[in-house]
Amino acid sequence: MAGAKALRLGVAVLAAVTLAGCGGGGTIGGGGDSSGQASKKLVLIPGVKAEPFYISLRCGAEEEARKRGYELSEQAPDKFEASLQTPIVTGVLATKPGGVLIAPTDDKAMARPMADLKNAGIKVVEVDTKVTDASISVAKISSNNEQGGRKAAETLAKLVGEKGSVLVLNTKAGTSTTDMRAKGFEEEIKKYPNIKYLGQQYTDNEPAKAAQIVSATLSANPDLAGVFATNLNTGEGASTGLRNAGKTGAVKLVGFDASPKQVDELRRGGVDALIAQDPAGIGRRGVEQAVAAIEGKPTEGDIQTDLVAITRDDMDQQSKYFYKTSC
Ligand code: T6T
């Protein structure tokens, strides 16, 4: 990207902590053994199994749990689906850990099973996504997703020369993070009068569906100039769709996340910029907040972690933001 420079979003800006003054609850974590001793067991329930963002989040969480003398285990659904995540939560409830770190796969459907954890005295921390009921968790840690969407719009507008049609590929309605990214994008893209916003289409978080939507949109809109893909799977699928249509590099693509596949596409020109999160930082802060709540100390409410926009020009300097496939 000519003249591109690192578009750092926020080591100083977005890592701010919004002190919501949420108490961690004076009582020691309700989860525990028969002696009433608060459990030092934590369970991570990510949105989906074996996916680089959540693997990187787990790496940070495991590191922090080890440091604090807590034991962290993980139980993950095979797909990003509330119908698969709910029975996992119910099963974890029965084991009565001290705390659960969860990325809810639906901002409404997951509230009930998460409230059951809270009502059993288990400290709930939301990592990455969250439910609309803000009373359940003792802390919520995520990227500043709306800001990330705004930065994606600014980056894409620059890439397309502030003209032509652009499309947003979202994942599934009710995923709080990607919905906020799309919202930020939609608000920011209005600032470019010569850019026609085609709206957003949902991919069910399936790369193949993302590729299919790109192909269909290109047929209906020959002036398609750019695409913003709101997460890892959608970005990988969009790269494939553009490649299949012979439009790699001609239609500019801004992705979100930085999986090894996405980084490879960035290097090969299959994607033009990535908005990377700090999943390990989310994991570390999530454990920190769960331990504070279990030990009866104050928690920090809403915590926002770093985001950084990475281009081909600066990717080698930003490699610390590349996601992992193992810890
Ligand atoms: O983008 C991340 C995460 O922030 C989002 O909530 C769901 O999708 C990812 O896990 C990437 O696939």
Side-chain angles (χ1 to χ4, degrees):
M1 190 168 100
K5 57 187 187 302
L7 302 172
R8 184 174 298 283
L9 290 188
V11 181
V13 177
L14 297 183
V17 167
T18 310
L19 285 174
C22 295
T27 55
I28 296 287
D33 56 26
S34 52
S35 69
Q37 180 64 30
S39 165
K40 299 198 86 167
K41 291 186 188 312
L42 303 174
V43 181
L44 170 64
I45 305 177
V48 63
K49 187 180 285 183
E51 190 254 50
F53 173 85
Y54 289 119
I55 291 170
S56 305
L57 190 154
R58 188 186 79 234
C59 295
E62 282 177 346
E63 179 192 317
E64 191 66 23
R66 258 194 309 275
K67 246 172 62 180
R68 295 169 179 270
Y70 277 68
E71 182 193 320
L72 182 99
S73 62
E74 182 191 55
Q75 295 197 35
D78 291 334
K79 291 185 80 173
F80 196 95
E81 298 275 355
S83 61
L84 300 177
Q85 196 178 42
T86 298
I88 289 175
V89 173
T90 306
V92 167
L93 171 63
T95 66
K96 291 191 75 57
V100 167
L101 285 70
I102 183 168
T105 49
D106 184 285
D107 63 2
K108 294 181 182 57
M110 290 309 299
R112 172 77 268 140
M114 287 164 60
D116 292 343
L117 294 171
K118 176 190 176 187
N119 297 336
I122 297 167
K123 302 303 180 187
V124 180
V125 172
E126 288 172 296
V127 289
D128 183 44
T129 53
K130 60 185 177 184
V131 294
T132 50
D133 179 347
S135 68
I136 298 170
S137 64
V138 296
K140 299 160 179 64
I141 301 103
S142 74
S143 301
N144 183 333
N145 287 295
E146 185 165 341
Q147 172 73 16
R150 289 182 180 282
K151 185 54 73 178
E154 192 184 312
T155 305
L156 190 57
K158 232 176 254 165
L159 282 164
V160 302
E162 300 190 14
K163 62 185 186 305
S165 298
V166 298
L167 166 76
V168 168
L169 292 175
N170 202 341
T171 59
K172 316 163 83 136
T175 305
S176 60
T177 48
T178 52
D179 284 345
M180 291 307 288
R181 294 166 198 169
K183 178 172 180 284
F185 183 96
E186 287 182 347
E187 282 165 13
E188 190 70 18
I189 208 72
K190 288 174 186 163
K191 295 178 182 174
Y192 302 92
N194 297 325
I195 290 181
K196 181 184 171 195
Y197 175 47
L198 297 176
Q200 59 178 314
Q201 293 200 43
Y202 289 98
T203 67
D204 286 336
N205 205 29
E206 296 289 347
K209 187 161 181 188
Q212 189 274 327
I213 291 171
V214 165
S215 166
T217 305
L218 278 165
S219 308
N221 302 274
D223 73 331
L224 182 68
V227 177
F228 169 42
T230 60
N231 87 328
L232 186 156
N233 281 359
T234 300
E236 290 175 4
S239 293
T240 302
L242 290 174
R243 181 168 292 111
N244 291 346
K247 292 287 186 184
T248 298
V251 174
K252 303 302 182 187
L253 173 60
V254 174
F256 215 98
D257 293 309
S259 69
K261 213 168 161 188
Q262 288 175 289
V263 169
D264 184 45
E265 285 287 0
L266 181 64
R267 203 174 293 284
R268 296 195 302 158
V271 64
D272 298 284
L274 295 173
I275 310 289
Q277 306 185 70
D278 177 13
I282 294 173
R284 279 193 295 274
R285 296 304 306 270
V287 167
E288 171 202 85
Q289 294 301 298
V291 168
I294 290 166
E295 296 179 358
K297 296 172 187 149
T299 52
E300 293 176 29
D302 291 329
I303 296 173
Q304 294 184 327
T305 53
D306 291 357
L307 281 168
V308 63
I310 302 175
T311 65
R312 251 183 306 290
D313 295 352
D314 65 15
M315 64 189 294
D316 294 327
Q317 292 78 35
Q318 307 285 12
S319 58
K320 72 172 181 173
Y321 287 99
F322 297 172
Y323 299 175
K324 299 178 176 178
T325 51
S326 64
C327 292

